[in-house]
Amino acid sequence: MSKIINTPLTDEVINELKAGDRVLLNGIIYTGRDAAHKRLVELIRKGERLPMDIENQTIYHVGPCPAKPGQVIGSAGPTTSGRMDAYAPLLMKHGLKGMIGKGLRNKEVVDAIRKYNCVYFAAIGGAGALLAEAIKESEVIAFPDLGAEAIYKLRVENFPVTVVIDREGNDLYRIGKEKYKIV
Amino acid sequence: MREVNVKEIANVIERLCIESNYYLPEDVKEALQDSLKKEESPLAKEILQDILKNQEIARRTQVPICQDTGLAVIFLELGQDVRLTGGDLNEAINEGVRRGYKNGYLRKSAVDDPFLVRKNTGDNTPAIIHAKIVAGDKVKIILAPKGGGSENMSALAMLKPSDGVEGIKKFVIDTVDKAGSNPCPPIIVGIGIGGTIEKTTLIAKEALLRTVGQHNPNPEIAKLEKELLEEINKLGIGPQGFGGRTTALAVNIETFPAHIASMPVAINIQCHVARHQEAII
């Protein structure tokens, strides 16, 4: 049974999420992958304004396909989040609460998730067509020159994700593997 | 000599770019359905169901299965009795890729210069072209888009001949274990053993083109494929790395004679969106 939650994420909602929970997300999320993360972090370091307020927001690590005529967005599954590890702790320090992606995160990211009470969700890698159906509105709000890597503001309805790293640092990738490992 | 116009090759490549990204091969779909029956983890079952549902949506609504529509990897088998007309073959292939990625609304994922500027080339060219001259008067084209997530988890080792089968097994299991959730399991593992450094990686990639469930014709190698699949599925990584029995759908090994001093082993990892389509002109 999936938990239905709304964005922006509050501490009350995050406190209830446990690694392994299936969640349906509703509301606004922002996209961002390698190049956009690099630019966001450069802006923070220079003390400049970000193109969006990231307080309590969620960033989805994705570079979608172009939309066909009549489509809100093209296929839009997650990319490997580990490439964002170098930037994620600073964004969490500045208010980011949620990340959606796939794959392993490093210790600095897990430490930041615990320190700033955040959550890391995984969407199903390779399920770009299914995930795009849960995206109801899409608009480029920053870095249009980056193409698929630009920042999009998305409105999602019942967007299916799984909690991988919860606020206590529990990691589904470790827990799940240990449970099903045959020695 | 049979004449083939390169414009026809461009047209076929355009079509294959689109079809390979919209339609998951039947054998991969069947392997996913089989694994769903065997899977023990309730969460893993839900994930496998979503993966199957996703390819169905892609097929029905004519959209890419995965947003990473890859670099266009092309295996071209050119019959020696074919005379190509109508222009430059490499340019025609890239023109086919350019049109396929544009008209199919596929993502353009090629960047140049790869370590300095990393500027998107804008049309997903250049294609990665592996051409072979073969007997006959036909042109065979296999198009296999390759995403970055699984490619990044691939590996090469110049093992010593004395490392033997145990050395190969250890390298494969360690590589898959270390990759964990990153290459979007359930995966297909293509393994090349022997040859030179470029030959071994090429046959590892060719191993990914094999129909899922088919084994190497050499019974000893087929046995090793089965053993490795079993060992990998004991790791517990499971679909998407959430834990479960289905970490890999297949292990395919291709071999080539090696130098007396060498035993290179390449592992090319493929995610569950194991795309490839072919055509013969």
Side-chain angles (χ1 to χ4, degrees), chain B residues 46-65:
Chain B
E46 284 185 38
I47 300 301
L48 289 169
Q49 279 161 351
D50 275 359
I51 286 173
L52 283 161
K53 202 167 136 194
N54 178 67
Q55 63 81 33
E56 197 53 53
I57 294 169
R59 182 179 294 273
R60 194 182 66 239
T61 63
Q62 301 274 293
V63 297
I65 306 161

Side-chain angles (χ1 to χ4, degrees), chain A:
Chain A
M1 195 58 193
S2 294
K3 291 182 178 175
I4 296 173
I5 63 173
N6 295 316
T7 58
L9 297 172
T10 60
D11 282 330
E12 292 69 43
V13 167
I14 286 173
N15 294 349
E16 294 299 313
L17 296 175
K18 292 267 171 270
D21 287 351
R22 286 277 265 168
V23 170
L24 295 172
L25 281 177
N26 289 272
I28 301 297
I29 60 175
Y30 294 92
T31 74
R33 47 175 292 157
D34 311 55
H37 272 77
K38 188 161 179 269
R39 287 196 190 175
L40 290 176
V41 162
E42 278 166 6
L43 288 172
I44 290 174
R45 289 199 176 126
K46 279 191 268 178
E48 289 177 22
R49 254 179 91 91
L50 295 180
M52 77 284 201
D53 181 4
I54 59 169
E55 184 79 36
N56 295 339
Q57 299 298 335
T58 298
I59 291 186
Y60 180 21
H61 304 148
V62 58
C65 281
K68 279 187 159 182
Q71 254 191 326
V72 170
I73 194 165
S75 294
T79 192
T80 309
S81 296
R83 295 195 314 275
M84 271 49 85
D85 283 357
Y87 312 111
L90 188 66
L91 294 177
M92 286 186 264
K93 188 182 171 189
H94 283 80
L96 184 75
K97 278 290 186 189
M99 292 168 286
I100 308 168
K102 69 167 175 93
L104 309 163
R105 308 306 301 267
N106 69 14
K107 187 178 177 296
E108 287 71 27
V109 172
V110 179
D111 288 348
I113 286 172
R114 293 171 66 175
K115 186 171 177 188
Y116 303 113
N117 207 52
C118 301
V119 60
Y120 171 51
F121 302 105
I124 299 178
L130 176 103
L131 292 162
E133 291 206 330
I135 300 171
K136 303 301 176 186
E137 287 171 31
S138 160
E139 178 196 358
V140 174
I141 58 139
F143 317 139
D145 59 298
L146 294 178
E149 294 203 57
I151 295 184
Y152 292 64
K153 182 181 180 182
L154 307 177
R155 187 176 65 79
V156 296
E157 280 179 18
N158 292 332
F159 187 85
V161 293
T162 304
V163 177
V164 171
I165 303 173
D166 63 28
R167 61 187 286 266
E168 292 175 331
N170 300 307
D171 184 343
L172 175 62
Y173 292 139
R174 214 173 45 231
I175 300 164
K177 188 180 165 189
E178 283 307 313
K179 195 170 167 188
Y180 289 94
K181 190 175 182 156
I182 300 171
V183 187

Side-chain angles (χ1 to χ4, degrees), chain B residues 92-139:
Chain B
I93 291 172
N94 283 317
E95 177 58 21
V97 169
R98 197 173 287 128
R99 292 204 310 250
Y101 276 72
K102 179 173 185 285
N103 298 335
Y105 294 86
L106 309 179
R107 198 180 76 183
K108 289 81 184 167
S109 309
V111 290
D112 194 23
D113 179 300
F115 78 100
L116 292 170
V117 190
R118 294 187 66 83
K119 184 177 163 45
N120 199 302
T121 62
D123 58 8
N124 219 49
T125 68
I128 309 292
I129 304 169
H130 303 297
K132 231 189 261 182
I133 310 285
V134 298
D137 65 355
K138 301 273 190 280
V139 179

Side-chain angles (χ1 to χ4, degrees), chain B residues 22-84:
Chain B
Y22 290 3
Y23 311 130
L24 189 71
E26 278 298 311
D27 57 308
V28 181
K29 190 175 115 183
E30 281 162 21
L32 287 164
Q33 284 163 340
D34 279 354
S35 65
L36 180 57
K37 286 179 207 148
K38 293 178 200 150
E39 183 53 68
E40 293 166 27
S41 153
L43 177 57
K45 280 186 183 185
E46 284 185 38
I47 300 301
L48 289 169
Q49 279 161 351
D50 275 359
I51 286 173
L52 283 161
K53 202 167 136 194
N54 178 67
Q55 63 81 33
E56 197 53 53
I57 294 169
R59 182 179 294 273
R60 194 182 66 239
T61 63
Q62 301 274 293
V63 297
I65 306 161
C66 176
Q67 78 293 332
D68 186 351
T69 51
L71 291 183
V73 179
I74 292 164
F75 294 91
L76 187 78
E77 289 178 19
L78 188 61
Q80 63 187 16
D81 297 329
V82 171
R83 187 172 166 270
L84 297 172

Side-chain angles (χ1 to χ4, degrees), chain B residues 155-175 191-197 200 224 228 253 258-267:
Chain B
L156 171 79
M158 303 308 285
L159 296 183
K160 294 187 194 79
S162 62
D163 291 331
V165 177
E166 287 312 309
I168 294 169
K169 279 190 195 169
K170 187 176 184 306
F171 177 48
V172 174
I173 300 297
D174 287 352
T175 301
I191 302 171
I193 306 171
T196 46
I197 190 166
T200 191
L224 179 59
L228 282 169
I253 301 173
H259 188 279
I260 46 172
S262 308
M263 194 172 72
V265 180
I267 302 168

